[in-house]
């Protein structure tokens, strides 16, 4: 069940998502960001960036920062009050991260997401493209749930699961949940002195899932249950996940130096997971016919460019699944299109350099990017 495999090394991560809860970000007594601690985390992120790791932060804290300002200091908040507090607190939260990261020569970029942004294919692809671009430009995306517009029925409700979805969206190979506890135990160590720490979890068995229990007092963001749900999302997407203690300064450096935590091992590689999703889980909305040269390019791992397209059938929109066929009608591939059907017809047969003049706006060079395509 545990301990038979070596845990991943944070220093080897290519893309890392770090989730940080409100209790770590906000000084409750001062109702202000813990700027010195944020600075230490920013220093860790700068070190990881120098090692070639793309880092995305999922940070809570907006509502906690605004409660004092708005006089909402006692009792649970109603949904409308949470939304108002989020609208006020996001400014302070973004500024705190911007200050910490800019001191390290890094640029922060704020994104607010809802579950619909990760479930709707078009919005998913747009959000993923934005994140890919930001990471490619050397930015550090700082993400939170868009509590100002999320309803009680349609929301993540905790940033553990949001972080797992972001890891899935960005093809991250590692996710770290910084917490008030250093990992998963066989029982709550605060109430059971016989509880045993689990350093490596190879598979999320029913026995492991039962260890989540009900969210106990003192857990800052939903307790162990939501963390295990996040682990299920992440590991099924090919991403390793760690639960690690976050209260100390430089928590990511501590993790790189061997601090105790619990690692959940990925169940498949991220590329395989996404390719399987494309290959078998969606109903095609149309088809694109391509010439022999484009077919050869796809077989050699290339993207589908407009120049190789001979015809387009169906009424699909950006992000829909389409099949790619050769001129004899044989299915060659399946993929998620970057253009809707009408625009795909307009640019078919044209070079990528001509697209802006044809469409009147600068679209993507590929009709289907190789990361969104499965050759069959």
């Amino acid at each position: 069940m545990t301990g038979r495999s070596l845990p991943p090394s944070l220093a080897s991560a290519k893309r890392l998502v770090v989730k940080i809860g409100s209790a770590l970000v906000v000084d409750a007594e001062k109702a202000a960001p813990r700027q010195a601690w944020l600075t230490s985390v920013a220093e860790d992120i700068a070190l990881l960036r120098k090692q070639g790791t793309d880092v995305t932060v999922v940070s809570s804290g907006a509502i906690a920062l605004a409660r004092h300002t708005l006089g909402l200091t006692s009792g649970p908040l109603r949904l409308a009050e949470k939304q108002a507090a989020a609208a006020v607190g996001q400014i302070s939260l973004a500024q705190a991260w911007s200050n910490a990261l800019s001191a390290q020569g890094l640029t922060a970029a704020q994104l607010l997401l809802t579950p619909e942004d990760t479930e709707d294919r078009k919005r998913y692809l747009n959000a993923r493209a934005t994140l890919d671009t930001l990471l490619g430009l050397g930015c550090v995306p700082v993400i939170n749930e868009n509590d100002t517009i999320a309803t009680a029925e349609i929301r993540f409700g905790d940033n553990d699961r949001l972080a797992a979805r972001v890891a899935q969206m960005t093809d991250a190979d590692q996710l770290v949940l910084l917490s008030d506890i250093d990992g998963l135990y066989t029982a709550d160590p605060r109430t059971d002195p016989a509880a045993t720490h689990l350093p490596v979890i190879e598979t999320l068995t029913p026995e492991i899932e039962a260890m989540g229990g009900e969210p106990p007092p003192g857990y800052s963001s939903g307790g162990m249950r939501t963390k295990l749900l996040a682990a299920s999302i992440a590991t099924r997407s090919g991403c390793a996940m760690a639960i690690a203690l976050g209260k100390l300064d430089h928590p990511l450096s501590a993790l790189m130096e061997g601090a105790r935590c619990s690692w959940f091992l990925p169940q498949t590689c991220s590329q395989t997971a996404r390719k399987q999703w494309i290959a078998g889980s969606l109903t095609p909305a149309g088809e694109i016919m391509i010439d022999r040269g484009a077919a050869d390019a796809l077989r050699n791992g290339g993207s589908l460019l407009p120049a190789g397209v001979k015809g387009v059938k169906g009424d699909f929109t950006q992000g829909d699944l389409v099949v790619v066929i050769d001129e004899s009608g044989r299915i060659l591939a399946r993929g998620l299109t970057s253009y809707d059907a009408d625009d795909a017809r307009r640019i078919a047969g044209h070079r990528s350099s001509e697209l802006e003049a044809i469409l009147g706006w600068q679209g993507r060079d590929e009709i289907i990017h190789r990361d969104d395509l499965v050759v069959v």
Side-chain angles (χ1 to χ4, degrees):
M1 178 178 67
T2 62
R4 293 192 299 270
S5 299
L6 292 175
S9 168
L10 194 64
S12 67
K14 295 180 177 63
R15 278 201 170 173
L16 171 68
V17 175
V18 182
K19 179 266 176 179
I20 303 172
S22 295
L24 297 175
V25 175
V26 180
D27 185 323
E29 292 184 2
K30 298 179 180 178
R34 298 178 63 216
Q35 202 65 54
W37 183 85
L38 289 174
T39 296
S40 81
V41 176
E43 291 171 351
D44 288 351
I45 292 172
L47 177 62
L48 286 161
R49 287 287 308 178
K50 288 179 181 178
Q51 295 176 178
T53 303
D54 292 333
V55 181
T56 299
V57 174
V58 176
S59 174
S60 304
I63 293 174
L65 285 172
R67 287 185 67 134
H68 181 76
T69 301
L70 298 177
L72 302 172
T73 56
S74 62
L77 300 182
R78 301 192 306 273
L79 176 61
E81 291 173 331
K82 288 182 179 179
Q83 292 173 323
V88 173
Q90 283 294 351
I91 297 173
S92 298
L93 182 65
Q95 189 62 56
W97 277 110
S98 181
N99 290 342
L101 290 167
S102 64
Q104 305 303 317
L106 298 172
T107 300
Q110 184 188 44
L111 283 84
L112 302 176
L113 297 176
T114 66
E116 292 171 321
D117 296 322
T118 64
E119 298 298 331
D120 179 85
R121 290 195 297 277
K122 182 176 180 180
R123 290 161 69 172
Y124 171 92
L125 289 175
N126 285 336
R128 193 180 77 186
T130 298
L131 285 166
D132 280 343
T133 301
L134 288 169
L135 291 168
L137 291 170
C139 298
V140 179
V142 179
I143 300 174
N144 195 2
E145 181 162 13
N146 196 348
D147 287 310
T148 58
I149 64 170
T151 65
E153 294 81 13
I154 306 175
R155 61 192 309 270
F156 286 102
D158 65 85
N159 274 352
D160 292 328
R161 283 173 287 187
L162 172 59
R165 288 296 188 192
V166 169
Q168 187 179 56
M169 180 181 291
T170 59
D171 296 327
D173 52 326
Q174 293 187 26
L175 164 64
V176 172
L177 306 183
L178 292 180
S179 180
D180 54 359
I181 192 168
D182 59 2
L184 178 66
Y185 287 75
T186 53
D188 186 350
R190 306 169 201 208
T191 59
D192 186 349
T196 301
H197 180 267
L198 303 177
V200 179
I201 296 88
E202 296 178 354
T203 306
L204 277 169
T205 64
E207 180 185 4
I208 293 291
E209 292 172 350
M211 295 174 188
E214 294 298 325
Y219 283 78
S220 60
S221 58
M224 193 57 64
R225 177 182 292 274
T226 64
K227 290 171 176 55
L228 292 182
L229 290 171
S232 177
I233 295 169
T235 57
R236 283 189 284 109
S237 301
C239 178
M241 191 192 91
I243 300 172
L245 191 64
K247 290 182 177 180
L248 67 163
D249 286 347
H250 297 286
L252 298 177
S253 290
L255 197 56
M256 284 189 280
E257 293 166 4
R260 187 159 77 163
C261 68
S262 290
W263 278 104
F264 296 78
L265 302 186
Q267 300 306 298
T268 182
C269 72
S270 58
Q271 188 79 347
T272 298
R274 187 173 69 258
K275 297 289 188 179
Q276 288 176 343
W277 177 63
I278 292 172
S281 300
L282 301 173
T283 301
E287 64 181 38
I288 296 175
M289 181 186 294
I290 63 175
D291 61 24
R292 181 177 297 178
D296 290 340
L298 296 190
R299 294 189 186 98
N300 291 324
S303 299
L304 176 58
L305 302 178
V309 175
K310 304 291 290 184
V312 176
K313 290 184 179 180
D315 183 20
F316 52 83
T317 61
Q318 180 191 22
D320 281 346
L321 182 93
V322 297
V323 293
V324 180
I325 62 173
D326 63 18
E327 294 179 84
S328 68
R330 184 165 56 99
I331 295 176
L332 301 176
R334 295 158 61 94
L336 304 179
T337 174
S338 300
Y339 291 92
D340 62 29
D342 289 339
D343 287 335
R345 292 186 183 98
R346 293 172 65 191
I347 63 177
H350 292 274
R351 296 183 179 277
S352 297
S353 59
E354 302 175 276
L355 302 191
E356 185 173 7
I358 295 170
L359 298 172
W361 48 275
Q362 181 60 56
R364 297 170 185 170
D365 289 343
E366 311 89 1
I367 285 188
I368 304 177
H369 192 277
R370 62 185 180 184
D371 289 345
D372 298 319
L373 184 141
V374 177
V375 175
V376 297

